[in-house]
Amino acid sequence: DKGNQAAIDALAVIANNQTDWPLWYMTANSLAKAAAAGNSVAIASLVSMSSSTNRNILHAVIQALRGAAANQNPKAVTALQSMGVQ
């Protein structure tokens, strides 16, 4: 199951809005399961938030992308590599 697409789409709007950055930590954690299941919107949203300079947000994004990468998602693997994460 790749999650509730309507909820994922709503979280994607938050993830792609720079002014909503205070919500990104919660958003990254909320998208983690869908990303691990291969949901492309969730993964793209996490990649979008990977530009954050907030360490807590980055940690949540990295953990969520690792879940997707563990399931052989090439976009997640590439994103982690570009962030310098093993």
Side-chain angles (χ1 to χ4, degrees):
D1 180 18
K2 293 187 180 183
N4 178 327
Q5 193 59 48
I8 293 165
D9 291 342
L11 290 168
V13 171
I14 294 168
N16 290 296
N17 186 344
Q18 293 289 323
T19 60
D20 285 338
W21 74 265
L23 301 173
W24 284 2
Y25 178 80
M26 177 271 314
T27 301
N29 285 323
S30 297
L31 291 170
K33 187 174 180 182
N39 185 289
S40 61
V41 173
I43 293 167
S45 298
L46 290 163
V47 170
S48 174
M49 291 185 290
S50 70
S51 64
S52 176
T53 57
N54 181 292
R55 293 176 68 185
N56 292 322
I57 293 168
L58 282 177
H59 179 73
V61 167
I62 289 167
Q63 291 304 105
L65 287 172
R66 280 184 173 154
N71 290 325
Q72 310 303 315
N73 185 286
K75 287 185 180 182
V77 170
T78 301
L80 288 169
Q81 289 171 342
S82 71
M83 295 171 72
V85 177
Q86 297 287 342

